[in-house]
């Protein structure tokens, strides 16, 4: 099979959609080496995360030629489809919510991964023009694609409810996380991480973009109710206005010396940061899935997460769940984890069992099954 991918995010994005794109191409090319994989990218950029994948013999890159080099958006959204039959693609996969608007004109079946419809659930985090653009691009992509991959049951339900698409066209394929989080974090690595970031003995870690939807303020507001030696470590960049709100709240609560904000953390340091924490905090109001939950459970660190979207799918029995506005419930759960080693151990063991459903083998076999369905569906039409 020869599979084409929208390679823009894999090449250029270092966070969520880029991580997913690299995970798909990297996992498939390793586990199904006899197939061919083509990344169609507007341009090639130096990227240490994608470089090892591009070194594989079964992975290649195609970029626009001629005048289209100066019009990468036009090429990606309209003209790219002319390359598909020339390349001999058996299927094309849009990895980040969209496929070209002209995809239905090409003689190639298409798959699109829809990650979430958060802009419809939490509209305040998005400009009105962006919401309209996403509705057009992503909604159209979902309607014209041969098949859809949803990254969770929650996302599948949203696609059906909002875009009135048949559930028979949608496959849920859980993505898991980068294999780096499955490697043991030894004593030397923990010591290096603690020294590099000057970490306290006991801390709560929260990894993710700092923005209103992610709701890091819940953990901040619970901090005064927790023992004075416990700190909160926030990892990630974000919305400057929300960061200012967090900073103001921290000062108001008198916990400035207990909150550490780490920006531009190398990806390779994340497993150690999770592993050294007492527990992980992921209090988002709405997610398509919640990869930081999986990352934390993979290194053996239990999680406090929030109800209301799909985080129970990600965390299973390896997490404690609270309402996103219930500071008292969060503080009670945090105290339990801080005081009860047996509870942490029990959750860590349950989390380890739960994340077995997110293995690379399950992930790649699910994607391949969708490709085969897309080819069959396309040929039947």
């Amino acid at each position: 099979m020869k599979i084409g991918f929208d390679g823009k995010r894999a090449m250029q994005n270092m966070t969520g959609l880029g991580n997913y794109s690299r995970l798909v191409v990297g996992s498939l090319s390793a586990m199904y080496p006899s197939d061919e994989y083509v990344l169609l990218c507007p341009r090639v950029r130096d990227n240490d995360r994608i470089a090892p994948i591009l070194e594989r013999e079964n992975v290649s890159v195609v970029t626009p030629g001629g005048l289209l080099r100066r019009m990468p958006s036009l090429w990606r959204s309209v003209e790219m489809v002319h390359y598909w039959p020339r390349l001999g693609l058996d299927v094309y996969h849009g990895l980040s919510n969209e496929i070209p608007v002209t995809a239905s004109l090409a003689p190639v079946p298409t798959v699109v991964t829809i990650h979430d419809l958060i802009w419809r659930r939490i509209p305040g985090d998005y400009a009105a023009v962006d919401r309209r653009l996403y509705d057009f691009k992503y909604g159209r992509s979902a309607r014209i694609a041969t098949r859809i991959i949803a990254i969770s049951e929650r996302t599948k339900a949203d696609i059906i409810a909002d875009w009135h698409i048949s559930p028979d066209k949608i496959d849920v394929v859980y993505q898991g996380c980068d294999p780096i989080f499955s490697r043991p974090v030894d004593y030397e690595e923990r010591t290096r991480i603690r020294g590099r970031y000057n970490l306290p003995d006991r801390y709560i870690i929260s990894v993710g973009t700092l923005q209103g939807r992610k709701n890091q303020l819940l953990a901040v507001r619970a901090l005064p109710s927790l023992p004075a030696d416990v700190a909160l470590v926030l990892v990630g960049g974000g919305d400057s206005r929300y960061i200012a709100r967090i900073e103001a709240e921290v000062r108001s609560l008198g916990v400035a010396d207990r909150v550490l904000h780490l920006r531009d953390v190398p990806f390779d340091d994340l497993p150690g940061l999770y592993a050294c924490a007492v527990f992980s905090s992921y209090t988002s109001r709405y997610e398509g899935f919640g990869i930081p939950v999986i990352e934390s459970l993979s290194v053996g660190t239990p999680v406090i997460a929030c109800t209301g979207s799909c985080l129970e799918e990600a965390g299973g029995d390896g997490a404690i769940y609270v309402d996103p506005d219930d500071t008292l419930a969060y503080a009670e759960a945090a105290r339990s984890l801080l005081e009860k080693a047996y509870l942490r151990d029990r959750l860590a063991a349950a989390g380890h069992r739960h994340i077995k459903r997110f293995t690379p083998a399950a992930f790649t076999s699910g994607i391949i099954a969708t490709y085969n369905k897309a080819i069959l569906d396309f040929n039947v039409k």
Side-chain angles (χ1 to χ4, degrees), residues 282 293 297 303-308 310-324 329-330 333 347 354:
Y282 198 65
V293 174
L297 296 180
V303 181
I304 294 179
C306 281
T307 57
C310 65
L311 297 182
E312 293 95 334
E313 289 183 66
D317 293 333
I320 298 174
Y321 304 95
V322 300
D323 184 278
Y330 183 97
L347 289 173
H354 178 71

Side-chain angles (χ1 to χ4, degrees), residues 121-376:
R121 298 293 178 273
I122 313 288
D125 276 1
Y126 299 84
V129 65
D130 288 335
R131 296 198 304 270
R132 288 193 291 271
L133 179 63
Y134 297 159
D135 267 332
F136 170 73
K137 288 202 307 180
Y138 302 164
R140 177 182 172 83
S141 293
R143 284 186 286 271
I144 68 174
T146 313
R147 292 201 69 81
I148 298 169
I149 288 176
I151 66 168
S152 68
E153 292 289 349
R154 177 69 269 162
T155 295
K156 178 177 179 178
D158 288 347
I159 293 168
I160 295 167
D162 287 32
W163 291 334
H164 310 294
I165 290 172
S166 170
D168 295 337
K169 181 178 171 175
I170 308 169
D171 302 314
V172 174
V173 181
Y174 290 120
Q175 70 182 81
C177 61
D178 193 284
I180 193 174
F181 294 96
S182 300
R183 301 168 192 162
V185 182
D186 58 22
Y187 175 80
E188 288 76 13
E189 176 64 5
R190 291 170 189 253
T191 301
R192 183 187 74 81
I193 289 292
R194 286 190 177 279
R196 178 171 186 173
Y197 296 103
N198 193 27
L199 298 172
D201 289 338
R202 296 205 299 172
Y203 68 88
I204 303 160
I205 188 168
S206 177
V207 176
T209 303
L210 275 66
Q211 62 180 149
R213 171 173 60 86
K214 300 290 188 180
N215 196 32
Q216 287 92 349
L217 274 171
L218 181 63
V220 171
R221 289 167 176 158
L223 201 56
S225 301
L226 304 181
D229 68 321
V230 176
L232 174 64
V233 178
L234 303 173
V235 181
D239 181 343
S240 59
R241 293 169 298 177
Y242 189 67
I243 292 172
R245 284 184 61 194
I246 290 175
E247 292 172 345
E249 192 80 10
V250 163
R251 291 191 298 269
S252 174
L253 295 172
V255 292
D257 60 335
R258 298 171 60 188
V259 177
L260 178 62
H261 182 194
L262 304 179
R263 306 170 190 253
D264 301 319
V265 170
F267 188 74
D268 289 352
D269 284 353
L270 287 179
L273 286 166
Y274 280 118
C276 291
V278 180
F279 66 87
S280 177
S281 176
Y282 198 65
T283 53
S284 180
R285 296 181 180 277
Y286 211 89
E287 291 295 325
F289 185 49
I291 287 300
V293 174
I294 304 300
E295 293 172 348
S296 185
L297 296 180
S298 295
V299 302
T301 300
V303 181
I304 294 179
C306 281
T307 57
S309 60
C310 65
L311 297 182
E312 293 95 334
E313 289 183 66
D317 293 333
I320 298 174
Y321 304 95
V322 300
D323 184 278
D325 294 307
D326 196 336
T327 304
L328 292 178
Y330 183 97
E332 181 180 352
R335 283 193 296 269
S336 294
L337 286 171
L338 289 163
E339 296 167 2
K340 301 172 182 177
Y342 74 86
L343 177 60
R344 296 196 301 273
D345 292 343
R346 189 182 77 198
L347 289 173
H352 182 72
R353 291 191 297 270
H354 178 71
I355 62 172
K356 289 180 180 179
R357 69 187 62 192
F358 309 129
T359 62
F363 178 55
T364 53
S365 64
I367 293 173
I368 290 292
T370 295
Y371 293 164
N372 288 328
K373 289 180 188 177
I375 292 169
L376 180 61

